[in-house]
Amino acid sequence: QVHPVESGGGSVQSGGSLQLSCTVDEDTYERHCMGWFRQAPGNEREGVAGINSDGTTTYGDSVKGRFTMSRDNGKRTVYLQMNALKPEDSATYYCVAGTCGVLLAAVRGLNLGSFGYWGQGTQVTVFS
């Protein structure tokens, strides 16, 4: 499938951890960078993390030091390990496959409109 498929969302107490996973077809995986974005009701879309083919990662300012993105090439899967979660991390998290320049710039906060292939999203709720 072209569109990524996310899993792993849920509810967790503040300070806890969750891991999200995202799988995509081989062709898409090999030709694109992968990233995570999130959006809470009433908020703008926010870049969370991105990763390129050699494993180099980029993070949004609000998650640096708490979230870690990684990839398993054998499984065509990327992961988002989220630690020290805060209520403000609550959002729908989307996995995206996209052109590296565009996707990684968007993770860093540039508003580039629509791009890439988006998953359906998975809900993360952090309660205090």
Side-chain angles (χ1 to χ4, degrees), residues 86-113:
K86 306 174 183 179
E88 51 263 45
D89 293 317
S90 297
T92 300
Y93 284 69
Y94 298 92
C95 180
V96 184
T99 304
C100 290
V102 173
L103 186 146
L104 297 177
V107 169
R108 290 190 290 267
L110 290 180
N111 186 349
L112 301 173

Side-chain angles (χ1 to χ4, degrees), residues 6 44 52 62 103 115-116:
E6 306 101 334
E44 298 278 326
N52 66 12
S62 63
L103 186 146
F115 62 92

Side-chain angles (χ1 to χ4, degrees), residues 2 17 23-24 26 28 42 46 65 69 76 84 87 89 99 106 116 120:
V2 176
S17 299
T23 302
V24 68
E26 182 175 2
T28 303
E46 180 183 9
M69 186 172 183
R76 296 176 281 110
D89 293 317
T99 304
Q120 291 293 315

Side-chain angles (χ1 to χ4, degrees), residues 25-118:
D25 69 277
E26 182 175 2
D27 184 61
T28 303
Y29 185 85
E30 291 181 352
R31 293 171 58 189
H32 296 89
C33 282
M34 301 293 295
W36 290 95
F37 293 78
R38 68 187 184 187
Q39 189 166 20
N43 288 3
E44 298 278 326
R45 182 185 70 194
E46 180 183 9
V48 176
I51 192 167
N52 66 12
S53 59
D54 68 5
T56 302
T57 51
T58 299
Y59 296 97
D61 288 341
S62 63
V63 306
K64 285 179 180 176
R66 300 187 298 123
F67 291 11
T68 303
M69 186 172 183
S70 60
R71 62 192 298 159
D72 183 333
N73 294 334
K75 296 181 179 179
R76 296 176 281 110
T77 298
V78 295
Y79 303 94
L80 184 69
Q81 178 64 42
M82 304 184 292
N83 297 329
L85 282 161
K86 306 174 183 179
E88 51 263 45
D89 293 317
S90 297
T92 300
Y93 284 69
Y94 298 92
C95 180
V96 184
T99 304
C100 290
V102 173
L103 186 146
L104 297 177
V107 169
R108 290 190 290 267
L110 290 180
N111 186 349
L112 301 173
S114 62
F115 62 92
Y117 303 100
W118 290 66

